[in-house]
Amino acid sequence: MNKNFIIKKNREGKKEDVPKKIFFKTNLFYKEKGFLKFFIYSPIVKEYAFYTLFPNGLNLFIYDKNTYNKYTYLRADWVKSIDKMFFHIKGNIIIMSHKGVSLKTEEIFWDRRKKKIFNKKYTKIIFHSKKMILYAINGIEASEDLKKIRLKNINGTFPVK
């Protein structure tokens, strides 16, 4: 039997994965070429054979190139990471960029290979510097840094001078 992939049966007789490792009150720092790329805090991290689960959510800081005072912040109630390249994120999601854009939604997918986030859920986007709020009724597609955002079926509030 492969030691890296353990399956047990729950009370109803259904098969379920058992984590290889469980970490509590976890702080993860990732650096590249001496510069901090991101920082994660999560109360619980469960590593499985094919994915990592953050069942109690996380706080993620993604730092801009070579600077510690510019970052994108993400907070969510639940996250599943597959190969550290694809993330399924759910529950009270807040994403804030250092450029003054905030995003709030209940579910989002993040493809790190393509550097894109997307969903088909109601999403609120706030452009703080322009004092503008947009609502994407049928979801969004955006670059991970929120510089390019495509909204599906929108409405919103625009300032008038």
Side-chain angles (χ1 to χ4, degrees), residues 1-97:
M1 180 176 193
N2 183 348
K3 292 180 185 177
N4 292 327
F5 186 61
I6 301 170
I7 296 177
K8 72 172 187 174
K9 291 188 178 186
N10 63 16
R11 290 182 183 164
E12 294 84 35
K14 295 180 184 176
K15 293 181 181 179
E16 59 183 45
D17 289 346
V18 175
K20 293 187 312 181
K21 298 175 188 172
I22 300 175
F23 303 97
F24 297 95
K25 295 184 179 178
T26 306
N27 293 303
L28 299 169
F29 295 87
Y30 177 75
K31 288 185 174 186
E32 257 181 30
K33 299 180 183 175
F35 292 102
L36 185 62
K37 293 295 280 182
F38 63 82
F39 165 72
I40 297 174
Y41 169 76
S42 181
I44 299 174
V45 180
K46 295 181 177 182
E47 284 189 0
Y48 294 84
F50 302 106
Y51 62 93
T52 302
L53 189 63
F54 301 84
N56 293 68
L58 60 69
N59 290 287
L60 168 65
F61 297 83
I62 304 167
Y63 291 90
D64 201 28
K65 297 176 187 175
N66 309 332
T67 61
Y68 293 118
N69 59 349
K70 294 181 181 178
Y71 56 85
T72 298
Y73 170 75
L74 182 144
R75 187 212 144 303
D77 291 343
W78 180 93
V79 178
K80 183 177 185 179
S81 166
I82 302 167
D83 293 330
K84 296 178 179 66
M85 282 291 144
F86 189 81
F87 293 81
H88 183 190
I89 305 164
K90 294 194 298 189
N92 296 310
I93 300 164
I94 298 172
I95 302 173
M96 296 185 297
S97 80

Side-chain angles (χ1 to χ4, degrees), residues 21 92 95 110 123 146 155:
K21 298 175 188 172
N92 296 310
I95 302 173
W110 179 17
T123 303
L146 301 178
N155 66 36

